[in-house]
Amino acid sequence: MFILVNLKAYPCDPIEVATAARDVAEASGARIAVSPQAADVARVAETGVETWAQHVSPNAHGSHTGSTLAEAVADNGAAGTLINHSENRLKLADVDGSVRAAERADLETIVCANNPAQVGAAAALGPDAVAVEPPELIGGDVSVATADPGIVEDAVAAAEAVDPAVDVFCGAGVSTGEDVSTAGDLGAAGVLLASGVAKADDPESVLEDLVSGI
Ligand SMILES: O=C(CO)COP(=O)(O)O
């Protein structure tokens, strides 16, 4: 199970979380990545933790003010990028363009989706993985895998029907090792989480609990 911590725009210290994630990954052998604000990608990557961007734009080099260039985040140490999110909704054509941009820059890709139907559409674009995150459960206390196990199973089936090579992650309300374990039992290859770590008083102890569920 891959644990990807999306820091969104939370007022946490990205270096504290990155250092904790690096240490827990090294001690446990688990794959843990941190996805900070684009402006923090380089200094988070410098900690040695696997670093992901939260978004890349569909465009290549050129006259694109305000874009997040895939090549730039890759050059600054990112290994992958999230694409699309309930909190950053893109048109399908732009999701496609961002996946292509990430591929050009050798970034791994996870496309986020709200439901299994969107998972199928996203899987058709050929990312490395898709993540199902029901918007109503994001930021809550109950894990998607407990609150709505069927949505995870349906997402796994939807991706499998389109492209068995595309992994499925789940996210929303994930904060414990038990949540990670339940997600794995439902067929998820990893979890995407944010508030459980970003808002924690002690991110390292939350991460230690999370990897206990792998
Ligand atoms: O949106 C999410 C990750 O991308 C999930 O957020 P929470 O872990 O805060 O529910």
Side-chain angles (χ1 to χ4, degrees):
M1 292 285 278
F2 179 15
I3 296 175
L4 202 158
V5 181
N6 174 6
L7 299 183
K8 303 191 176 182
Y10 281 122
C12 59
D13 176 351
I15 301 305
E16 182 194 356
V17 176
T19 305
R22 177 202 63 200
D23 291 349
V24 173
E26 280 176 7
S28 64
R31 185 179 179 193
I32 306 176
V34 173
S35 185
Q37 285 284 301
D40 294 325
V41 161
R43 62 193 189 112
V44 163
E46 276 164 19
T47 67
V49 78
E50 181 174 333
T51 304
W52 280 52
Q54 294 182 13
H55 167 76
V56 295
S57 305
N59 57 273
H61 285 285
S63 52
H64 306 290
T65 303
S67 61
T68 303
L69 185 65
E71 284 80 355
V73 297
D75 286 349
N76 280 281
T81 184
L82 299 176
I83 293 170
N84 194 49
H85 195 279
S86 176
E87 297 155 5
N88 185 26
R89 298 180 187 204
L90 305 180
K91 293 177 185 160
L92 192 62
D94 290 333
V95 176
D96 189 17
S98 292
V99 171
R100 304 284 83 82
E103 279 176 351
R104 276 198 313 271
D106 282 332
L107 293 167
E108 209 173 315
T109 51
I110 299 179
V111 176
C112 300
N114 291 357
N115 54 47
Q118 290 183 18
V119 161
L125 302 174
D128 293 298
V130 293
V132 64
E133 298 196 298
E136 67 279 9
L137 297 176
I138 290 177
D141 294 332
V142 184
S143 158
V144 55
T146 303
D148 196 351
I151 205 170
V152 181
E153 291 171 327
D154 289 351
V156 170
E160 172 82 19
V162 172
D163 184 348
V166 176
D167 282 337
V168 176
F169 285 46
C170 65
V174 174
S175 64
T176 68
E178 196 177 334
D179 297 339
V180 173
S181 164
T182 308
D185 290 345
L186 294 169
V191 292
L192 192 50
L193 75 152
S195 52
V197 168
K199 292 170 90 172
D201 291 335
D202 183 356
E204 186 154 352
S205 68
V206 175
L207 287 160
E208 281 167 349
D209 184 28
L210 286 163
V211 298
S212 74
I214 292 177

